[in-house]
Amino acid sequence: MTWVNAVIQGMLLGGLYALIACGLSLTFGVMRIVNLAHGDLAVCGAYLGLVLSTFFGVPVWFTLPLLLPVAFAVGVVLQVLLYGRALRHGVLAPVPVTFGLSVMIENLLQVAATSDPRGLNGGALALASFHIGSITVSWLFLAAFLTACAVLSGLQLLLSRTLWGRKVRATSDDLDTARLVGIKVRPVFATVAGIAVATAALAGVFIGTIGTFDPLTGTNVLIFAFEAVVIGGIGSLWGTLVGGVIMGVTQVVVGQANQAYAVLAVNLLFLAVLTVRPGGLFTSRQAVREIQGQGAPG
Amino acid sequence: MTPPQALLEVAGLDVFYGDFQALFGVSMSVTPGGATALVGANGAGKTTLLRTIAGAQPAASGFVRYDGSDITAAPPHQRICRGIALVPEGRKLFPSLTVEENIQVGAAAAASDAWPLERIYAAFPVIARRRRQRASTLSGGEQQAVAIARALAAGPSLLLLDEISLGLAPLLVEELYETLSGLRSAGATLVIVEQDLRRAMDACDSLVCLLEGRVALAAPVASVSRDEVVAAYFGEGTP
């Protein structure tokens, strides 16, 4: 029964990984930006949640209606001021730019908030749990998992059913032609960047409620998000969820046997997937061709 | 008698790709309702000229005037709003979108709603049957029809067509050109890049031949012989 429990806890943890990763996946899929500051932006979301929930004296959940729009706006501003300009100098330019952003965020957070680990006030939800037979399920982990599912389904629905979604996918397929057929790509990029930071901040709030965070947490968050994206397959949101769940299950099941090897096992799994299926588990061959065959329009 | 006001006027266009100059002082004008064939060898600058007119390539000097106003600096979506649509070389459909989604994206910045989906499907019954399929699963001819449909969805008055017959069976090319003559009688103005000189001269009423980025010949089709065009095409002597 402990193993069944481990699998269930792992799946729930995996939802959180997918929530962190979906913004990374979207940014890479649409703008071809590997955002090395993604994890730090998630941690910024957690700090903002800390400030707001302390200021208003409420559990962090009640600050989300304010926190998420702010995070969205931050994403838009970053796209307009930073990523967009960097992209004009080629696909590799955003890598050092976002790396620099990551270093700056981590150091600014250390100056502003010290290196002390913090936790967020999750209210009654943070401690509540329920039982299925002998298995205890935390409402907080379940909430994180369900939130991840809702966010991913919502994004998937937006992408497949709306005009905005069609523009995003067309831009992701072929930027040059998207411009040519009249798509204004700057608003597309800006909204995608906004959604990426908003989902990262939401994930950050869950990270800060489930565990603790400090200014350097972002690097680990980034690695997990990156691995979930690669395992699941770039450009596939459902793949990202499955990737996150596979990671979560691996981590908790291996941790059940020996806690020292839990994170190592996840990283080894990542390496194995990268070796056997470099495109990820759920990437269409189309997407792999797209990514490999990138070049100047003929 | 004054000549009819040009719908599109291009003058003195210089266009560069980095240090490489692709167009040298190119000028041409297109009258409303006309069909202009743009011919020339590979690398002569035909695609560059169309992309510059569509706004995908900036002009270093010269101007593009459309319907009386200067659009040299306008981004592509503004030009589409004004009625210029390009069918790019190699079709360039969005592979992960369905046929219908490709057409809907084309209508995003439309100049008019002259071409709603029903009218497009009536004009291209072959793609109506495939509307829910991904564009990448279609045959070459079907994809070309979708590419034209995507441009038409923008409700253009000026349609730029870049090598639409490339890689297609002669029968399909015949069908596409019949569709084009239908568009013309409906009032559209066309600029057609075509490798097949005979077909270009049959379908169009004026002709511009580019040679190494310069206009080698510009004349009404009726007033030039095939030999003159071939001479301009290869740069043999100066007409």
Side-chain angles (χ1 to χ4, degrees):
Chain A
M1 213 54 188
T2 49
W3 295 106
V4 177
N5 182 48
V7 169
I8 289 175
Q9 306 301 340
M11 285 177 67
L12 295 180
L13 180 63
L16 180 59
Y17 292 158
L19 186 59
I20 302 165
C22 68
L24 199 66
S25 173
L26 204 58
T27 333
F28 183 77
V30 179
M31 292 175 264
R32 307 282 186 246
I33 289 179
V34 179
N35 189 351
L36 296 178
H38 189 74
D40 299 299
L41 290 167
V43 172
C44 284
Y47 274 103
L48 183 59
L50 180 68
V51 170
L52 292 176
S53 81
T54 313
F55 181 78
F56 291 112
V58 291
V60 69
W61 316 118
F62 296 103
T63 69
L64 288 178
L66 185 57
L67 188 147
L68 294 179
V70 169
F72 183 90
V74 167
V76 171
V77 169
L78 282 175
Q79 168 60 31
V80 172
L81 293 184
L82 214 56
Y83 309 154
R85 286 164 190 244
L87 270 175
R88 274 177 239 159
H89 301 279
V91 288
L92 284 178
V95 176
V97 168
T98 57
F99 180 71
L101 180 65
S102 162
V103 172
M104 280 169 61
I105 290 176
E106 290 181 1
N107 285 284
L108 284 172
L109 284 177
Q110 277 183 329
V111 172
T114 75
S115 301
D116 296 343
R118 315 271 180 163
L120 290 175
N121 169 13
L125 183 73
L127 301 171
S129 60
F130 63 96
H131 301 276
I132 307 172
S134 61
I135 295 168
T136 306
V137 178
S138 146
W139 278 109
L140 185 57
F141 275 80
L142 186 64
F145 183 79
L146 293 178
T147 303
C149 290
V151 167
L152 290 171
S153 322
L155 277 177
Q156 191 69 53
L157 218 58
L158 277 176
L159 285 172
S160 58
R161 297 286 167 80
T162 65
L163 179 59
W164 175 81
R166 286 194 286 275
K167 287 180 179 175
V168 170
R169 284 182 292 140
T171 309
S172 165
D173 273 356
D174 185 341
L175 176 61
D176 181 61
T177 307
R179 284 206 179 95
L180 209 55
V181 304
I183 295 173
K184 292 180 219 164
V185 297
R186 269 189 266 181
V188 169
F189 280 10
T191 44
V192 166
I195 289 173
V197 177
T199 54
L202 183 60
V205 166
F206 277 106
I207 292 169
T209 319
I210 288 172
T212 60
F213 58 97
D214 62 56
L216 301 180
T217 306
T219 308
N220 282 327
V221 172
L222 175 74
I223 290 171
F224 274 79
F226 190 65
E227 292 182 347
V229 171
V230 173
I231 291 174
I234 286 153
S236 160
L237 285 175
W238 294 123
T240 303
L241 180 63
V242 176
V245 166
I246 291 174
M247 285 168 63
V249 170
T250 308
Q251 184 182 346
V252 179
V253 168
V254 173
Q256 183 79 35
N258 186 335
Q259 192 58 41
Y261 295 115
V263 174
L264 178 66
V266 174
N267 292 325
L268 287 176
L269 173 81
F270 165 71
L271 280 180
V273 171
L274 209 54
T275 313
V276 180
R277 276 190 69 107
L281 298 177
F282 294 90
T283 310
S284 60
R285 269 175 307 184
Q286 167 64 40
V288 173
R289 269 204 308 274
E290 277 280 304
I291 291 158
Q292 289 171 344
Q294 260 194 82
Chain B
M1 199 180 94
T2 52
Q5 168 84 42
L7 179 66
L8 173 75
E9 199 186 348
V10 167
L13 272 193
D14 288 332
V15 175
F16 292 81
Y17 292 101
D19 291 333
F20 173 75
Q21 186 165 5
L23 295 182
F24 299 82
V26 168
S27 303
M28 69 182 278
S29 77
V30 177
T31 50
T36 305
L38 194 55
V39 300
N42 283 334
K46 310 182 295 285
T47 296
T48 303
L49 179 54
L50 287 197
R51 283 175 59 87
T52 310
I53 296 170
Q57 202 67 43
S61 59
F63 68 80
V64 181
R65 189 170 292 154
Y66 176 75
D67 205 9
S69 45
D70 188 343
I71 56 162
T72 315
H77 63 87
Q78 283 179 12
R79 301 188 195 209
I80 288 177
C81 280
R82 286 166 172 272
I84 302 178
L86 170 68
V87 180
E89 182 183 11
R91 309 186 268 269
K92 299 285 171 64
L93 297 180
F94 300 114
S96 70
L97 271 59
T98 66
V99 167
E100 186 153 301
E101 287 174 335
N102 266 280
I103 299 171
Q104 286 170 324
V105 162
S112 75
D113 52 4
W115 284 89
L117 279 173
E118 309 84 66
R119 187 173 170 205
I120 286 173
Y121 288 142
F124 299 95
V126 60
I127 60 176
R129 288 193 292 275
R130 308 230 182 261
R131 58 202 286 178
R132 306 259 174 254
Q133 270 177 251
R134 283 193 177 206
S136 52
T137 64
L138 268 56
S139 73
E142 290 165 341
Q143 288 194 15
Q144 190 63 67
V146 177
I148 295 174
R150 182 177 64 185
L152 284 178
S157 353
L158 173 64
L159 191 57
L160 312 168
L161 300 121
D162 198 351
E163 304 240 10
I164 55 167
S165 53
L166 200 68
L168 298 186
L171 197 64
L172 287 171
V173 176
E174 203 63 52
E175 280 179 24
L176 284 177
Y177 272 87
E178 271 170 36
T179 311
L180 293 187
S181 75
L183 291 177
R184 255 193 96 185
S185 32
T189 308
L190 308 178
V191 176
I192 302 172
V193 167
E194 174 59 66
Q195 290 285 1
D196 181 343
L197 202 53
R198 185 191 52 78
R199 190 176 293 285
M201 293 177 76
D202 280 353
C204 297
D205 47 30
S206 68
L207 181 139
V208 172
C209 182
L210 291 181
L211 176 69
E212 292 169 0
R214 293 178 172 85
V215 176
L217 175 70
V221 166
S223 74
V224 288
S225 72
R226 200 184 137 82
D227 289 341
E228 281 174 296
V229 179
V230 170
Y233 192 101
F234 292 109
E236 291 161 353
T238 35

